[in-house]
């Protein structure tokens, strides 16, 4: 009987937390289809990690082990997983939608003449067919994609609950792929961090964060004033830092800092997933946006629909009044 | 270096989207379109690489309907030397794999040293067209690139990882890179550039010219507005911003307790 295979992610012997969310998605899909769910962990000397994964209520854990898999390369991972999939013939293959998965999973899927249905937020199953739900237009729209047996999909951060996985005892299966040094064309150096961060947003109780809605650099003082009135740290979504309007170290999101202040005030931020993953753990979220359909309102507790250039100055005045 | 930049035309960022009758796609009639932003950074990086080298060629490659000509012209005005337009009015039946197959087929005849494209599109957001193209062409790739430097027959790149981490890697040419937004500063087209663009070649081909079999392994069934899962307390700031601000401050003071 075929199964749902979930490829977990580890780096330097440490799990990527999204691995368990993807495994939860796999368990849910397998449950709907009446299949079992298996996991795979790739690297060098991953026996211990495989043992940890085997403490979940799943079928098998494949320890895909090879010296040339010690550090990640798209070529090495693709070669190894291609062999595992050919041998085990899973009904569906799921991944966490991480930067690393984005780097190799489309290549792997192409080897099987398949597309990777990426960044999936929910899965529906009817008969042997599966519908993957994913977002379009940076979260403004949802779309259903129908895929048949053999499909590949990656799971969005936070879409499934890792806690839903029950404890159990799974069988660990060692899988030794044949990987030749010549297939790995890229020479990768060790990962590094640019410099220690001068701004630690994670300690802030109140954050005022600004996005594209601010339109131009000359308008930044509009939100600076609000931050000053509230005694808040100023943060931004990626495009603002890309444009150099605020320093990179003030960026919140998947490539910036992850914050959970008492209140996060998102000004002119539409709420693309890359931003949401960095702030949705905030105790309270306030959104100010002119588009009432902006995805940011999905995660907000309070919102003002309106022109930020009218709303924010009014807010500054009200905050000052309340504090007086 | 001969560099191909794959660019895509997408609806402008501020677009109000409405689901079209039939629920398969959005209404496009009232929309305006622009270059996909990450692709604009990829184009800029290609132009800068050529300028640094002092020689080479930059070719813009675009798959899209006839309206995409405008985006192609803009790429030429910014400095691309020529363009290839795979002109198809109906792309609905294709998934990213099908799209990458068309792009790869068009690239093959050109034999470029380097292919650049944005890390993802603002409409579909699959984030994989480049990676799939590289696999179809049998060349190495790297994604989410923040820096590119040519070193003989190879390129050294800085790849962005999660949570503020980076990684340097060296890749033999030919290769494909997906470019992260913010890698460089975008230029504007000059008047001279716009003038010159009119004389530059745009080669138009169709999917059937390229002889790529059509079909999709994942089919788009339905698009729809997401359902609100968590109901935010919304104040309307359109008519009376001061009142909405006062209502919000009340909440911040008595419910969130930060004032």
């Amino acid at each position: 009987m075929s199964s749902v295979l979930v490829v977990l992610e580890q780096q330097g012997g440490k799990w990527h937390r999204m691995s368990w969310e993807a495994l939860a998605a796999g368990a849910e899909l397998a449950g709907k289809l009446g299949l079992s769910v298996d996991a795979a962990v790739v690297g060098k000397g991953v026996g211990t990690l495989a043992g940890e994964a085997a403490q979940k209520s799943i079928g098998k854990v494949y320890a895909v082990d090879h010296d040339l898999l010690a550090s990640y390369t798209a070529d090495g991972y693709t070669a190894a997983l291609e062999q595992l999939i050919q041998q085990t013939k899973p009904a569906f293959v799921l991944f966490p939608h991480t930067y690393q998965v984005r780097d190799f999973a489309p290549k792997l899927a192409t080897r099987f003449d398949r597309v990777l249905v990426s960044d999936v937020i929910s899965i529906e199953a009817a008969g042997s067919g599966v519908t993957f739900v994913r977002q379009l237009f940076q979260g403004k729209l949802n779309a259903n994609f129908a895929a048949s047996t053999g499909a590949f999909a990656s799971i969005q951060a936070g879409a499934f609950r890792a806690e839903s996985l029950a404890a159990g005892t799974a069988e660990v299966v060692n899988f030794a792929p044949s990987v030749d040094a010549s297939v790995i064309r890229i020479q990768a150096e060790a990962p590094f961090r640019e410099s220690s961060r001068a701004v630690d947003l994670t300690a802030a109780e109140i954050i005022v964060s600004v996005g594209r809605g601010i339109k131009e650099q000359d308008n930044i003082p509009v939100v600076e004033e609000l931050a000053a009135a509230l005694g808040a740290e100023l943060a931004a979504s990626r495009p603002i830092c890309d444009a150099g309007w605020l320093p990179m170290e003030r960026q919140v999101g998947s490539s910036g800092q992850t914050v959970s202040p008492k209140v996060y005030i998102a000004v002119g931020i539409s709420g693309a997933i890359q931003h949401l993953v960095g702030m949705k753990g905030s105790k309270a979220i306030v959104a100010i946006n002119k588009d009432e359909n902006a995805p940011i309102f999905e995660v907000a507790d309070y919102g003002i629909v309106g022109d930020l250039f009218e709303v924010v100055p009014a807010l500054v005045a009200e905050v000052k009044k309340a504090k007086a | 270096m001969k560099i191909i930049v794959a660019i895509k035309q997408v609806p402008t960022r501020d677009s109000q989207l409405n689901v079209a009758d039939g629920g398969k796609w959005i209404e496009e009639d009232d929309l305006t379109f622009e270059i996909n932003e990450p692709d604009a950074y990829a184009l800029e990086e290609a132009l800068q690489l050529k300028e640094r080298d002092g020689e080479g060629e930059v070719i813009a490659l675009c798959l899209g309907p006839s309206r995409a000509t405008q985006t192609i012209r803009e790429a030429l005005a910014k400095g691309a030397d020529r363009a290839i337009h795979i002109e198809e009015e109906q792309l609905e039946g294709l998934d990213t794999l099908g799209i990458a197959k068309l792009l790869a087929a068009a690239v093959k005849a050109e034999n470029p040293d380097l292919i650049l494209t944005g890390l993802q599109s603002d409409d579909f957001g699959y984030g994989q067209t480049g990676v799939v193209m590289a696999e179809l062409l049998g060349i190495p790739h790297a994604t989410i690139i923040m820096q590119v430097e040519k070193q003989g027959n190879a390129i050294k790149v800085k790849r962005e990882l999660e949570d503020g981490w980076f990684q340097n890697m060296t890749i033999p040419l030919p290769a494909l890179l997906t470019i992260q937004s913010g890698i460089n500063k975008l230029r504007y087209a000059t008047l001279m550039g716009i003038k010159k663009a009119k004389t530059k070649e745009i080669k138009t081909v169709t999917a059937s010219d390229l002889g790529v079999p059509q079909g999709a392994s994942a089919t788009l069934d339905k698009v729809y507005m997401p359902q609100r899962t968590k109901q935010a307390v919304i104040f309307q700031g359109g008519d009376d911003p001061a009142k909405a601000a006062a209502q919000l401050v009340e909440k911040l003071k008595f419910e969130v307790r930060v004032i």
Side-chain angles (χ1 to χ4, degrees), chain A residues 7-127:
Chain A
V7 179
L8 308 176
E9 183 165 322
Q10 62 91 19
Q11 220 155 81
K14 279 199 199 117
W15 291 109
H16 193 299
R17 62 193 153 74
M18 281 167 62
S19 295
W20 310 114
E21 297 173 5
L23 190 57
E28 190 184 309
L29 174 61
K32 284 175 179 169
L33 296 170
L35 302 175
S36 71
V37 58
D38 296 336
V41 51
V42 184
K44 179 191 173 187
V46 291
T48 312
L49 287 172
E52 281 173 33
Q55 290 163 25
K56 306 283 180 194
S57 175
I58 57 177
K60 290 175 188 150
V61 180
Y62 296 101
V64 182
D65 221 296
H66 196 285
D67 283 355
L68 290 172
L69 301 173
S71 57
Y72 165 80
T73 59
D75 286 334
Y77 268 49
T78 302
L81 286 168
E82 182 186 9
Q83 291 165 45
L84 179 71
I85 291 165
Q86 268 167 355
Q87 196 170 316
T88 59
K89 298 193 169 40
F92 293 93
V93 185
L94 303 187
F95 307 84
H97 189 68
T98 62
Y99 279 28
Q100 183 167 297
V101 162
R102 290 167 62 164
D103 195 62
F104 78 88
K107 178 180 168 76
L108 178 63
T110 304
R111 295 253 166 117
F112 294 88
D113 203 29
R114 286 287 189 154
V115 68
L116 171 75
V117 185
S118 59
D119 218 6
V120 166
I121 57 170
S122 70
I123 307 174
E124 292 153 23

Side-chain angles (χ1 to χ4, degrees), chain A residues 121 133-145 293-295, chain B residues 16-20 23-27 122-124 220 222-227:
Chain A
I121 57 170
V133 184
R134 59 187 303 280
Q135 296 171 313
L136 304 180
F137 295 97
Q138 317 255 332
K140 283 191 197 166
L141 220 59
N142 280 4
N144 288 359
F145 286 84
N293 293 318
Chain B
Q16 285 291 333
L17 303 177
N18 293 303
V19 176
K24 293 265 185 190
W25 193 233
I26 52 167
E27 286 173 3
D122 287 338
D123 53 0
F124 271 85
L220 178 55
K222 181 170 108 165
V223 297
Y224 49 99
M225 290 295 174
Q227 255 187 336

Side-chain angles (χ1 to χ4, degrees), chain A residues 71-225:
Chain A
S71 57
Y72 165 80
T73 59
D75 286 334
Y77 268 49
T78 302
L81 286 168
E82 182 186 9
Q83 291 165 45
L84 179 71
I85 291 165
Q86 268 167 355
Q87 196 170 316
T88 59
K89 298 193 169 40
F92 293 93
V93 185
L94 303 187
F95 307 84
H97 189 68
T98 62
Y99 279 28
Q100 183 167 297
V101 162
R102 290 167 62 164
D103 195 62
F104 78 88
K107 178 180 168 76
L108 178 63
T110 304
R111 295 253 166 117
F112 294 88
D113 203 29
R114 286 287 189 154
V115 68
L116 171 75
V117 185
S118 59
D119 218 6
V120 166
I121 57 170
S122 70
I123 307 174
E124 292 153 23
S128 65
V130 166
T131 297
F132 293 109
V133 184
R134 59 187 303 280
Q135 296 171 313
L136 304 180
F137 295 97
Q138 317 255 332
K140 283 191 197 166
L141 220 59
N142 280 4
N144 288 359
F145 286 84
S148 56
T149 304
F152 292 72
S154 63
I155 306 299
Q156 186 171 96
F160 289 80
R161 303 191 72 86
E163 309 88 85
S164 70
L165 285 167
T169 320
E171 179 193 353
V172 174
V173 179
N174 292 315
F175 184 84
S178 72
V179 183
D180 193 86
S182 66
V183 305
I184 298 169
R185 296 166 289 187
I186 289 183
Q187 245 184 299
E189 296 167 27
F192 64 94
R193 256 196 161 133
E194 206 86 294
S195 58
S196 60
R197 283 170 174 150
V199 181
D200 183 12
L201 297 173
T202 61
E205 290 225 317
I206 308 175
I207 292 176
V208 170
S209 193
V210 59
R212 277 179 196 277
I214 200 74
K215 291 201 174 92
E216 46 190 294
Q217 186 166 20
D218 291 347
N219 295 331
I220 295 288
V222 173
V223 283
E224 275 173 345
E225 249 180 79

Side-chain angles (χ1 to χ4, degrees), chain B residues 1-252:
Chain B
M1 275 197 296
K2 186 175 184 179
I3 308 173
I4 289 189
V5 188
I7 59 174
K8 182 177 189 180
Q9 190 188 49
V10 297
T12 47
R13 279 205 177 239
D14 282 352
S15 298
Q16 285 291 333
L17 303 177
N18 293 303
V19 176
D21 291 344
K24 293 265 185 190
W25 193 233
I26 52 167
E27 286 173 3
E28 289 199 346
D29 291 353
D30 297 330
L31 294 180
T32 53
F33 295 85
E34 63 187 358
I35 187 170
N36 179 48
E37 190 179 72
D39 297 342
Y41 285 100
L43 173 65
E44 178 62 40
E45 195 59 25
L47 296 173
Q48 290 189 13
L49 278 167
K50 181 189 158 184
E51 285 159 4
R52 256 180 271 157
D53 260 7
E55 56 172 1
E57 188 181 25
V58 174
I59 306 160
L61 169 65
C62 182
L63 166 60
S66 55
R67 61 166 153 76
T69 310
Q70 192 200 335
T71 294
I72 294 168
R73 285 263 173 240
E74 284 164 17
L76 293 172
K78 283 188 172 184
D81 298 291
R82 59 187 170 96
I84 302 167
H85 183 183
I86 308 170
E87 193 173 329
E88 282 300 319
E89 297 303 319
Q90 299 293 324
L91 294 168
E92 285 82 1
L94 290 175
D95 59 14
T96 314
L97 179 58
I99 284 164
K101 280 179 181 172
L102 286 170
L103 293 169
V107 165
K108 224 166 223 166
E110 293 285 347
N111 258 321
D113 300 297
L114 187 62
I115 304 167
L116 303 183
T117 190
L119 82 163
Q120 64 189 33
S121 61
D122 287 338
D123 53 0
F124 271 85
Y126 259 121
Q128 60 179 284
T129 306
V131 179
V132 176
M133 271 173 82
E135 171 64 16
L136 293 170
L137 292 165
I139 61 174
H141 76 271
T143 51
I144 320 188
I145 296 306
M146 288 299 286
Q147 209 170 292
V148 186
E149 194 189 320
K150 186 164 182 272
Q151 290 187 337
N153 286 328
I155 39 167
K156 190 170 179 189
V157 299
K158 180 170 139 193
R159 177 172 166 242
E160 183 182 308
L161 308 176
E162 285 163 52
D163 297 323
W165 288 81
F166 297 92
Q167 185 176 33
N168 289 324
M169 40 185 40
T170 309
I171 313 171
L173 295 173
L176 183 145
L177 306 175
T178 76
I179 300 295
Q180 171 67 291
S181 293
I183 181 175
N184 48 40
K185 202 165 165 10
L186 299 177
R187 73 187 66 191
Y188 293 99
T190 60
L191 258 158
M192 179 65 96
I194 294 166
K195 226 170 167 182
K196 264 180 151 172
K198 292 183 180 138
T199 63
K200 288 177 177 171
E201 180 201 16
I202 302 179
K203 185 176 153 197
T204 303
V205 293
T206 63
S208 59
D209 293 340
L210 295 168
V212 174
Q214 307 289 293
S217 68
T219 48
L220 178 55
D221 268 354
K222 181 170 108 165
V223 297
Y224 49 99
M225 290 295 174
Q227 255 187 336
R228 292 258 162 111
T229 47
K230 185 171 150 189
Q231 211 66 50
V233 178
I234 299 281
F235 306 113
Q236 295 298 330
D239 298 328
D240 192 349
K243 187 180 161 200
Q247 287 169 319
L248 178 61
V249 168
E250 167 104 0
K251 297 288 184 191
L252 291 177

